[in-house]
Amino acid sequence: MRIGIPDDGGPLVPATPTTTARLVGLGYDVSVATGAGAGAGFPDTAYEAAGAVVVPDGEAWSADVVAITRAPDVLAASGPAGLRPGARGPDGLRIGAVLIAQIAPAARPDLVRALANRGVTAFALDAVPRISRAQSLDVLSALSNVAGYRAVVEAAAEFGGMFSGQVTAAGTTPPANVFVIGAGVAGLAAIGAAGSLGAQVRAFDVRPEVAEQIESMGATVVRADDAAQQVSADGYASALTTDQEAAALRAYAVETAAADIVVTTALVRGTAPTTITAEMVANMRPGSVIVDLAAPGGGNCELTVPGERVVSANGVVVLGYTDLPDRMPRHTSELLGTAVANLVQLGTPNRDGRLALDPDDVVVRGMTVAARGEVLWPPPPVAVSAPASPVRPASAVEPAETAPGSRQARPTGAGSRQAHPATRAVLLGLGAVLAALAVAASPADQVAHLTVLALAVVVGFYVISHVSHALHTPLMSQTNAISGIILVGGMLQIGSSDPVVTTLAVLASAVASINIFGGFLVTHRMLGMFRRGAPTDGSGR
């Protein structure tokens, strides 16, 4: 089969020379339109070196599989006769072709219908199910990451000062104050970018479970308990109640008045709620900057004009750009190309150059918006693969109350579980008695050692149980040092004349050695995940 990469007129391209080489390695013939990668800095010669053939744009559109960044604008009147030329792409898409693109199927039903009428099998890169197995195809998260980073770059270009504080012979300058609303993918990227430039970053999100993520990025969490939602089941924020919205707006008013840079990212199912009112903008310092990442959904700021730069009456710059990922075409194209290559690889298990995506696969089904002349959007909801709760047979269910004079029903299910705490308490009490007898029977010089051991166990349990999961790896490194002390002590006692001491010393040395080498091995593997140049897309990059 032949994969075509047309020139859809924008700076992005859904295949880089690196991902093109992956597609060729899967057995496909790849045709790249002349100049398709020029906007992202990829010359035609780089594609030819990767094994592709550079062809005229119309020939790329006529391939068996066509990959573009965004689906072409198709008129609602387009029917079986074919796709009409629009703002993007010609009508060269052949009947029965496979289209891979960002389609926005929920907002463009006419386009989806036109694709179905044409007999095109269309896969929407922006409709990937939000499940772990589909993360390598999740274009929306990738583009949100780029947009969050670029938002800070745009703010830095507009802001009349430096993000980091400076100490000079002539005096000092304070760091910029950055306030980020929303700690999703874009928000966290903005937090990281602003923090790396030296700014003091504060962030707010109505979802309480993301507070730890904000702190892990080095930012300060802004708390407004009255605006907090319940822990979300799907990781997304929902619409606020009237009281929650009022509490959130009060927090926004305080934070924006003190901020130099404000980045807003709040979107609720594609709709942008108002988080920055005109009154808040009026209270901000002249020269402050607002970057509204929710501009495609209408904007979080009342002064936002999607796609435009606006300056308020008091000199606050409001950026409503909707093309932030396009402003970093090289890396955005690399992310798009990787997602396309991952999708094609998913449908080519035999590496034979034939695309055979399984329609029953939950990931494939979620992305398929049209196939076999039918509109397949929206997809069925993704079933959560969680083990079902065990259900007792009806015959085993006992009445809640027994008749007078009848024998008491034996405890089952929850009743048997209620006995566990009592059993645990008895065992703990028995263990304490045995420990006390052991101490009483020990020589006087051993009592102090046993006391230190008992206290170390108790203190160690409470310390480790209260350590954040993010600190488990450095904590493991500290336990390696402790194990090293045990190893040295055990080796010194191996030559003892007492066989019991020698046996214990050998066991202690063996266990400590396993912990040391195992701990360093795990730490090495985890640090390798963050090393620059580590493979991330399966292509060796």
Side-chain angles (χ1 to χ4, degrees):
M1 297 180 69
R2 186 165 63 94
I3 297 179
I5 310 296
D7 181 5
D8 58 3
L12 305 181
V13 60
T16 66
T18 300
T19 60
T20 296
R22 287 183 60 190
L23 297 176
V24 172
L26 293 172
Y28 292 92
D29 296 328
V30 181
S31 299
V32 180
T34 303
F42 303 118
D44 293 343
T45 54
Y47 287 102
E48 291 176 334
V53 178
V54 177
V55 299
D57 189 62
E59 187 174 340
W61 276 97
S62 64
D64 303 304
V65 180
V66 176
I68 55 178
T69 57
R70 295 178 180 88
D73 294 331
V74 180
L75 301 179
S78 296
L83 300 182
R84 297 182 178 181
R88 292 180 181 273
D91 58 351
L93 197 64
R94 68 178 184 81
I95 297 175
V98 174
L99 178 67
I100 301 174
Q102 298 178 78
I103 297 176
R108 304 169 75 186
D110 293 339
L111 169 61
V112 176
R113 169 53 60 188
L115 292 171
N117 290 343
R118 181 65 171 170
V120 173
T121 299
F123 296 101
L125 291 172
D126 48 357
V128 177
R130 291 299 178 92
I131 58 177
S132 299
R133 190 164 62 85
Q135 287 182 352
S136 63
L137 309 175
D138 193 350
V139 166
L140 286 182
S141 291
L143 297 187
S144 295
N145 193 296
V146 176
Y149 179 90
R150 182 68 188 196
V152 175
V153 174
E154 295 289 343
E158 292 284 354
F159 183 52
M162 292 179 288
F163 271 44
S164 61
Q166 299 292 316
V167 179
T168 69
T172 62
T173 59
N177 294 314
V178 178
F179 177 49
V180 179
I181 299 177
V185 176
L188 291 175
I191 291 171
S196 66
L197 290 176
Q200 292 183 343
V201 186
R202 297 170 63 84
F204 173 82
D205 197 294
V206 296
R207 299 167 298 164
E209 65 266 29
V210 302
E212 184 177 353
Q213 299 177 32
I214 294 174
E215 292 175 338
S216 70
M217 299 295 293
T220 301
V221 179
V222 175
R223 302 188 184 277
D225 294 337
D226 293 341
Q229 295 182 341
Q230 297 294 328
V231 175
S232 57
D234 58 359
Y236 294 94
S238 57
L240 299 178
T241 64
T242 302
D243 292 340
Q244 289 175 329
E245 183 177 0
L249 289 176
R250 288 194 295 270
Y252 299 152
V254 173
E255 294 296 328
T256 54
D260 300 304
I261 310 292
V262 178
V263 180
T264 67
T265 69
L267 278 173
V268 180
R269 303 299 185 265
T271 302
T274 298
T275 59
I276 307 297
T277 64
E279 181 181 358
M280 295 180 196
V281 177
N283 290 328
M284 294 178 66
R285 292 190 290 266
S288 301
V289 182
I290 298 175
V291 185
D292 195 339
L293 289 180
N300 293 140
C301 178
E302 286 186 336
L303 301 186
T304 296
V305 177
E308 301 292 336
R309 175 185 182 271
V310 176
V311 181
S312 69
N314 61 322
V316 176
V317 178
V318 182
L319 302 179
Y321 300 144
T322 58
D323 61 345
L324 292 178
D326 294 17
R327 297 181 179 221
M328 308 194 75
R330 185 176 188 89
H331 288 98
T332 302
S333 295
E334 288 179 356
L335 296 172
L336 283 171
T338 299
V340 171
N342 289 339
L343 176 61
V344 173
Q345 183 174 344
L346 178 65
T348 320
N350 298 325
R351 305 177 71 88
D352 56 358
R354 300 192 63 82
L355 190 65
L357 289 164
D358 181 8
D360 294 327
D361 186 300
V362 64
V363 176
V364 175
R365 179 62 187 88
M367 300 175 63
T368 308
V369 299
R372 301 178 299 277
E374 300 179 7
V375 173
L376 299 181
W377 180 265
V382 178
V384 179
S385 56
S389 301
V391 179
R392 292 165 53 192
S395 59
V397 178
E398 298 181 3
E401 297 179 359
T402 55
S406 63
R407 186 167 54 92
Q408 178 69 32
R410 64 180 180 84
T412 60
S416 61
R417 287 192 296 270
Q418 292 174 354
H420 288 174
T423 303
R424 189 179 298 110
V426 171
L427 292 177
L428 289 175
L430 181 60
V433 171
L434 293 177
L437 293 177
V439 171
S442 300
D445 58 344
Q446 296 295 326
V447 173
H449 297 298
L450 292 174
T451 302
V452 171
L453 176 62
L455 292 175
V457 171
V458 173
V459 173
F461 172 78
Y462 280 102
V463 169
I464 294 176
S465 63
H466 287 77
V467 170
S468 171
H469 296 293
L471 299 178
H472 279 184
T473 298
L475 178 64
M476 184 170 58
S477 298
Q478 296 297 322
T479 59
N480 284 346
I482 297 174
S483 297
I485 298 175
I486 296 174
L487 178 59
V488 172
M491 294 176 64
L492 292 175
Q493 295 297 325
I494 287 179
S496 174
S497 58
D498 189 338
V500 176
V501 174
T502 300
T503 301
L504 293 176
V506 170
L507 291 175
S509 300
V511 173
S513 299
I514 294 173
N515 189 45
I516 292 173
F517 291 109
F520 279 118
L521 177 62
V522 172
T523 302
H524 175 74
R525 290 175 63 89
M526 294 189 68
L527 292 177
M529 298 170 59
F530 302 94
R531 188 174 296 116
R532 183 180 298 274
T536 58
D537 59 3
S539 62
R541 283 184 63 83

